[in-house]
Amino acid sequence: MHSKHSRLDRFIAKSCQIPLKSVKPLLARGAITVNGVPVNDGQWRVCEFDRIECQGTMLQHRSPLYLMMHKPVGVVCATRDKQHTTVLDLIDHPAKDELHIVGRLDLNTSGLVLLTNDGRWSRRLTAPESKVPKRYQVRVKESLDDRYVQAFAEGMYFETEGCMTAPVELTLTSATTAELVLTEGKYHQIKRMFGRFRNRVLALHRSAVGPYELDATLAPGQYRVLGESGELGALSKEKKRINP
Ligand code: URA
């Protein structure tokens, strides 16, 4: 079940492959439980993480899962790839097949990648209207100056998308390095913005997405499970070392 909420009777009919009208008697005699409690109302809304049983048989039992990974350069943000190791290949977890990636990074970009099976959480983080800030460190080939800071803050017209980029906060940290904060995620956005100055990005790293900071103790290829609410406060101790 991938939608936010669905009706209990429809969920039962679909899961048990029975007509909707056959669900009514089951509900009436208390044979359906949601999170251990009998529910008689077929219009009851259930979500993807409700535990649903029919006459004692588990139909759905899914726990929300949130992971933070330090993606290495050369690993692809995809669930399957013929050529490269994927971020999913680096995960050793019984529920890994349920996971999806929350905002991709390019093959040659390193840093913070979030993964989850909770569609609501990932939509909140990636919806354009959420404008969630994403922080990157970049190293470029040619020297940087204030013209870059101004051009990034003003926005650039992207012909393919037919729109201006949102203002980007660019802070120069040395002659050829900078930190920047994006509030959107257009295709190859950072490389294309430096490309306007014919300046090549040599290294790109993402250190934060909204409130989630890449944990400095995670080496490239390592990940860890976040607390159930998706907050960093309640991190589990689970931590793995993987050789990509
Ligand atoms: N911008 C890029 O060009 N690449 C990324 O991976 C992320 C942002």
Side-chain angles (χ1 to χ4, degrees), residues 97-196:
D97 291 341
E98 294 175 9
L99 294 171
H100 61 265
I101 299 156
V102 186
R104 286 154 203 268
L105 289 178
D106 294 342
L107 182 68
N108 50 8
T109 302
S110 61
L112 176 61
V113 171
L114 298 168
L115 299 109
T116 188
N117 59 358
D118 182 350
R120 291 176 76 183
W121 186 73
S122 57
R123 273 192 295 279
R124 267 207 312 274
L125 282 169
T126 56
E129 59 275 18
S130 302
K131 296 186 171 53
V132 169
K134 289 154 287 250
R135 197 169 69 232
Y136 293 86
Q137 287 75 42
V138 62
R139 185 162 58 82
V140 291
K141 190 150 184 277
E142 312 294 341
S143 287
L144 298 165
D145 57 47
D146 285 344
R147 289 175 309 136
Y148 287 76
V149 178
Q150 197 179 335
F152 277 56
E154 281 172 359
M156 294 177 187
Y157 184 70
F158 272 15
E159 189 131 2
T160 322
E161 293 85 348
C163 64
M164 293 291 290
T165 57
V168 174
E169 202 185 304
L170 179 76
T171 310
L172 308 186
T173 47
S174 81
T176 55
T177 61
E179 183 163 285
L180 65 154
V181 180
L182 292 192
T183 52
E184 57 187 350
K186 301 195 190 310
Y187 180 68
H188 290 336
Q189 183 164 345
I190 295 173
K191 287 168 195 146
R192 287 163 77 192
M193 292 184 86
F194 282 103
R196 287 294 164 90

Side-chain angles (χ1 to χ4, degrees), residues 15-86:
S15 305
C16 302
Q17 297 183 318
I18 54 173
L20 198 55
K21 64 177 189 311
S22 309
V23 179
K24 257 194 177 160
L26 290 170
L27 289 161
R29 62 170 200 268
I32 310 291
T33 61
V34 178
N35 302 321
V37 178
V39 174
N40 307 116
D41 179 5
Q43 295 192 25
W44 189 267
R45 309 302 277 185
V46 287
C47 81
E48 58 192 324
F49 299 119
D50 282 322
R51 179 164 51 85
I52 303 168
E53 289 169 82
C54 175
Q55 301 180 116
T57 301
M58 188 75 76
L59 300 181
Q60 176 184 274
H61 182 35
R62 201 167 166 208
S63 304
L65 180 62
Y66 311 93
L67 300 179
M68 164 189 287
M69 175 182 284
H70 185 166
K71 181 186 109 53
V73 167
V75 168
V76 70
C77 270
T79 42
R80 243 177 271 167
D81 192 274
K82 285 201 180 103
Q83 215 185 334
H84 299 102
T85 302
T86 71

